[in-house]
Amino acid sequence: MKYLDQKTIHSMSVKELESEIRKHNKLYFEIHEPEISDYDFDQLVERLKKVNPKSPVLHEIGSDIRKGIVVPKITHTSLMLSLDKCYNVDDLMSWANKFEGDVVSSPKIDGCAIEIRYDDEGKIHFAATRGDGVKGEDVSANVRFVPDIPKMISIPNLEIRGEVYMPLSIFKKFETEFANPRNLAAGAIKQKQPSKTGSYQLSFFGYDIKNRKFKHEIDKIGLLQKLGFKTGETREIKKEKDKMQKEWDRFLEIRNKLDYEIDGVVFKANLIHEQDRLGASAHHPRWAIAYKFQGDSGTTTLQRVEWSVGRTGVITPIGMVDPVELSGAMVSRVSLHNYGMMKKIGVTVPSKVVLIRAGGVIPYLQKVLDQKGKPVEVPKKCPSCGCPTEIQEDFLRCTNVSGCRRPKLSELEHFVKAIEIDGFGEVLIEKLYDNGFVEDSADFYTLTKENLLELERMGEILATKLIGNIQSRKEVPLHLFLQSLGIRELAKHSSKILVKEFGVLEKILKAGEAELSAIYTIGPVIAREVVAGLKSKRPLIDKLLKQIKVESQPRASHKGVLQGKTFLFTGKLAAMERGEAEKSVAEHGAEIASGVSKDLDYLVIGSEGYKNREKGNKWIKAEKVINQGGKVKIISEEEFFEMINK
Ligand code: IVH
């Protein structure tokens, strides 16, 4: 990260400011590799607003024009604006003095804004990202893979807005690959292959309902909760300087304990008629403001860099610094992200460094103030197993992933968690591995009480209990078995899909890429990784099968869902070729009809046409059949996929 001080910013001409903002906007939104903190970016924008409020660049911020990629766009029914911001309580008060009534406060969650429209049956009609505020990217299929987003609500035709975000507990897994949870959330919700969104375990907070009349802002939150949405902690606050400041202080204090990043507190006028009176500027509503946390930075000394080996064999640099207080917490370790990032920052040891917690809880190294120390030594050997390392793009890796100690330990930890064997924590697993009792996950099943008793601080009772815990997990459901293998793309969601599709392990092991990728929620990328993963794990699978019984789940039940029904497709399908969709109809025991008739069960309309109500001949004919008492049901492409996935 580069560091921009106020002096530098103030010395910039309008042209320089504009070109810097354009550059960093692109780095942030298009390349997803920001070079400066959000705080510094905001400062650049604030400065440009002051020196040239009419600059066209101010309208370009946040746009996400990924050149060469045509992404379907949805026009928002009303503009999706951004929030005005302030950095001190006096500016907050001058905002608040412009309206009557009290305020509502809520955490400013650092994620990605989306809008979800529900249809006249209360089902998700479509969803879009904020985009440029006028049009956003179509993420209708992706939001189905965000568990917090209700797929059906009890009041039809509502338009809900809120923030998709990545919980910090989930982000941990991706820390070495992504700069921050917000970038990852934005990338995850826009996945071209919608089911991939599911593997990122995103969450959602609702904060607005657009097309319904309310008296008070706070009533929206009550209704959102009733409809099944999670909302950030939102409450009414008296419009007094110290009360509002206290609320901000409170959020600053609890910020470290939350499982999501917040970068300030949003205050909104509670009286809706006051909101209406205030209206909006071209960029923000005048009735809301974000009182942001400043990037809390501190100077300290970086003493050395340690290297930590992750589950995939990536070796991550971690800076060890003299303890320094940042936003109320003592920090002594700081993430340097990855080898490439460390090189870019130009870290030397020891050196004076600036650490920052900007817009989030994860502190990072913002700047090296002197480069007087020595360059950081990059280990030639893996700190965990001693095997040679190699540099691949931005990452330093152990060349012996299958035999390296740390990835191996993580693999064993993952196995006991997935299979649900109780009592085997990290320390015990480490001891078992180091003593040569457990080298791969199948070895748990041949572990004896005597082996355990050889370990320090192990008694008869505990050893007996642990062996019992293992033996009670000798019969495992197929989906847990698949998850336990630790294949990156074969996590909870895809494992369940495969079980539903194939029922027995033998069939899954035999399935080829083409067969897997034809499944709607799997697709070619996951298919490739699953097939390769299963192939490389084959020896382990065979060894495990000698020890445990995998409970198959016959797929007959789901075949019955569509058995004997007739389907017909019309319009362009967004998610797959017509042929593939027809194939899956056949796989589910149903048939393709030759045309609309009174015998047709379902007419499936491609999602674009369905949304825009573009009625073609088949649709019109089907409506006629319905009017004459026919049984045909007109459904959207998404509803069809839901049916086959049920
Ligand atoms: S209210 C003008 N409440 O911050 C839109 N927004 O910079 C009114 N955000 O695009 C939004 N937490 O995505 C609101 N509690 C919260 C929020 C919040 C995060 C996002 C939102 C908006 C961005 C503005």
Side-chain angles (χ1 to χ4, degrees):
M1 286 274 163
K2 279 192 208 145
Y3 177 70
L4 290 170
D5 56 29
Q6 285 297 329
K7 225 167 121 194
T8 319
I9 295 175
H10 279 255
S11 67
M12 285 180 181
S13 66
V14 168
K15 263 213 161 116
E16 282 169 334
L17 280 167
E18 287 179 338
S19 95
E20 275 294 285
I21 291 172
R22 276 210 172 111
K23 175 177 132 190
H24 292 295
N25 192 48
K26 185 172 167 169
L27 283 169
Y28 186 90
F29 282 100
E30 292 177 31
I31 303 167
H32 300 296
E33 272 190 19
E35 273 180 8
I36 59 169
S37 67
D38 300 351
Y39 180 74
D40 285 352
F41 183 76
D42 289 346
Q43 296 303 318
L44 285 171
V45 175
E46 292 299 312
R47 179 72 190 156
L48 180 60
K49 266 191 219 161
K50 250 202 190 114
V51 292
N52 184 10
K54 291 206 177 112
S55 167
V57 173
L58 292 169
H59 300 272
E60 293 169 14
I61 299 162
S63 64
D64 191 4
I65 318 145
R66 287 177 293 169
K67 291 179 187 67
I69 305 173
V70 185
V71 208
K73 295 270 162 141
I74 287 179
T75 307
H76 304 300
T77 39
S78 61
L79 283 179
M80 271 185 98
L81 298 171
S82 68
L83 282 166
D84 205 356
K85 45 193 145 212
C86 65
Y87 290 93
N88 60 61
V89 74
D90 291 327
D91 288 350
L92 180 69
M93 270 327 279
S94 43
W95 163 80
N97 284 334
K98 294 188 182 118
F99 56 86
E100 293 296 314
D102 290 323
V103 295
V104 166
S105 67
S106 54
K108 183 167 187 309
I109 295 142
D110 208 9
C112 172
I114 58 163
E115 156 182 271
I116 311 160
R117 270 183 257 171
Y118 288 85
D119 65 13
D120 45 17
E121 289 176 44
K123 290 186 197 156
I124 295 180
H125 192 29
F126 46 89
T129 62
R130 177 168 157 231
D132 61 4
V134 180
K135 281 182 182 177
E137 255 179 55
D138 184 345
V139 289
S140 313
N142 306 72
V143 293
R144 289 169 208 281
F145 295 95
V146 179
D148 286 351
I149 297 180
K151 310 297 169 283
M152 176 131 187
I153 56 176
S154 53
I155 302 177
N157 296 319
L158 286 189
E159 185 182 317
I160 309 288
R161 289 183 183 179
E163 198 85 353
V164 190
Y165 65 93
M166 165 152 289
L168 291 172
S169 48
I170 310 288
F171 180 66
K172 266 196 204 142
K173 287 194 262 180
F174 302 98
E175 225 165 13
T176 54
E177 294 155 70
F178 293 89
N180 61 50
R182 179 197 16 198
N183 283 1
L184 184 51
I189 195 69
K190 295 180 195 169
Q191 286 292 317
K192 271 183 118 181
Q193 194 184 329
S195 66
K196 274 207 133 190
T197 299
S199 58
Y200 290 98
Q201 295 170 273
L202 296 175
S203 291
F204 179 78
F205 272 149
Y207 52 65
D208 204 0
I209 302 178
K210 277 327 264 187
N211 48 353
R212 199 178 168 88
K213 292 254 172 289
F214 293 90
K215 253 187 159 166
H216 298 105
E217 179 68 27
I218 195 77
D219 303 337
K220 294 181 185 171
I221 301 298
L223 184 58
L224 280 167
Q225 289 171 349
K226 245 194 222 150
L227 294 170
F229 289 92
K230 281 196 203 152
T231 54
E233 194 188 324
T234 306
R235 46 189 200 174
E236 272 181 86
I237 302 283
K238 284 252 162 295
K239 197 178 66 185
E240 290 164 17
K241 189 170 166 177
D242 58 336
K243 293 261 163 53
M244 293 200 289
Q245 179 60 43
K246 230 173 144 184
E247 180 68 349
W248 187 87
D249 292 343
R250 192 178 67 81
F251 272 115
L252 185 62
E253 207 180 308
I254 60 168
R255 176 187 193 191
N256 294 337
K257 298 179 192 108
L258 300 173
D259 193 27
Y260 44 87
E261 289 212 334
I262 63 173
D263 60 352
V265 182
V266 180
F267 289 94
K268 298 171 194 166
N270 194 19
L271 290 170
I272 303 284
H273 68 79
E274 279 295 86
Q275 293 188 359
D276 294 343
R277 183 180 64 79
L278 290 166
S281 74
H283 304 291
H284 343 96
R286 294 195 185 87
W287 45 267
I289 196 164
Y291 180 5
K292 292 191 74 170
F293 300 139
Q294 290 194 12
D296 195 356
S297 62
T299 307
T300 183
T301 305
L302 173 77
Q303 295 292 6
R304 57 179 202 286
V305 171
E306 287 188 0
W307 297 84
S308 147
V309 190
R311 181 146 84 100
T312 52
V314 172
I315 308 172
T316 312
I318 297 169
M320 298 296 166
V321 297
D322 290 345
V324 56
E325 192 178 323
L326 289 184
S327 323
M330 290 308 277
V331 173
S332 56
R333 290 156 61 89
V334 50
S335 165
L336 299 175
H337 300 302
N338 57 44
Y339 163 80
M341 193 87 94
M342 189 196 75
K343 279 263 148 183
K344 226 192 269 171
I345 303 172
V347 177
T348 61
V349 280
S351 54
K352 277 230 152 347
V353 292
V354 180
L355 306 189
I356 190 162
R357 283 183 134 179
V361 286
I362 300 164
Y364 61 87
L365 196 152
Q366 192 186 36
K367 192 190 180 191
V368 181
L369 291 173
D370 62 35
Q371 283 170 325
K372 287 187 194 140
K374 289 191 198 126
V376 176
E377 244 178 74
V378 180
K380 296 224 160 33
K381 286 184 177 166
C382 169
S384 177
C385 70
C387 289
T389 59
E390 63 178 357
I391 294 166
Q392 280 178 5
E393 290 168 18
D394 276 347
F395 301 100
L396 181 72
R397 290 175 183 277
C398 171
T399 48
N400 173 32
V401 191
S402 57
C404 181
R405 180 173 178 274
R406 189 55 245 171
K408 208 76 225 176
L409 290 174
S410 308
E411 208 178 286
L412 296 171
E413 285 157 15
H414 172 82
F415 178 82
V416 293
K417 243 190 224 148
I419 296 284
E420 297 167 356
I421 302 177
D422 292 336
F424 287 79
E426 280 176 32
V427 180
L428 178 57
I429 289 181
E430 213 170 323
K431 282 189 196 163
L432 290 171
Y433 182 80
D434 291 341
N435 279 284
F437 294 140
V438 175
E439 278 172 12
D440 61 38
S441 40
D443 292 341
F444 281 110
Y445 293 93
T446 49
L447 194 66
T448 62
K449 199 164 85 182
E450 288 67 36
N451 293 151
L452 285 171
L453 285 170
E454 277 184 41
L455 306 179
E456 260 173 52
R457 272 186 268 157
M458 178 67 67
E460 272 283 329
I461 298 179
L462 181 56
T464 313
K465 194 169 160 210
L466 288 170
I467 296 292
N469 290 352
I470 297 171
Q471 296 308 314
S472 71
R473 300 301 295 150
K474 277 189 82 108
E475 276 180 32
V476 290
L478 179 52
H479 68 279
L480 292 189
F481 180 79
L482 292 173
Q483 277 174 55
S484 79
L485 299 172
I487 297 168
R488 192 168 168 155
E489 292 295 356
L490 203 47
K492 201 169 179 178
H493 175 73
S494 37
S495 295
K496 283 198 170 155
I497 299 276
L498 291 195
V499 172
K500 208 163 63 179
E501 206 59 36
F502 295 98
V504 287
L505 180 63
E506 292 69 38
K507 285 197 181 152
I508 297 174
L509 293 175
K510 263 193 215 140
E513 264 179 52
E515 206 175 336
L516 292 187
S517 65
I519 302 167
Y520 168 57
T521 51
I522 297 286
V525 184
I526 300 183
R528 194 177 322 125
E529 293 196 25
V530 168
V531 170
L534 287 173
K535 194 172 163 208
S536 77
K537 297 274 178 184
R538 193 55 200 253
L540 177 67
I541 295 173
D542 291 337
K543 195 170 166 195
L544 276 167
L545 290 178
K546 289 197 180 111
Q547 302 296 336
I548 57 183
K549 184 166 175 266
V550 178
E551 293 159 4
S552 302
Q553 282 149 26
R555 53 172 297 214
S557 56
H558 96 284
K559 192 159 186 170
V561 179
L562 309 186
Q563 190 85 50
K565 301 277 186 221
T566 54
F567 284 79
L568 188 64
F569 292 88
T570 180
K572 186 169 166 28
L573 301 184
M576 61 168 76
E577 293 297 319
R578 172 88 57 97
E580 286 176 70
E582 291 181 349
K583 205 170 106 198
S584 74
V585 165
E587 281 167 5
H588 285 75
E591 276 173 34
I592 296 295
S594 53
V596 179
S597 72
K598 64 176 180 22
D599 298 322
L600 179 66
D601 290 301
Y602 294 98
L603 178 68
V604 185
I605 321 270
S607 69
E608 252 328 275
Y610 192 80
K611 255 178 253 165
N612 301 332
R613 299 265 138 194
E614 286 158 7
K615 295 191 182 176
N617 287 342
K618 287 184 190 156
W619 192 338
I620 295 168
K621 193 162 174 200
E623 283 184 339
K624 254 191 209 154
V625 173
I626 294 170
N627 286 338
Q628 288 158 4
K631 62 180 174 178
V632 53
K633 282 202 179 73
I634 300 170
I635 61 171
S636 70
E637 178 182 343
E638 279 82 11
E639 284 170 302
F640 166 71
F641 290 126
E642 257 168 40
M643 281 172 87
I644 60 172
N645 282 324
K646 229 177 228 154

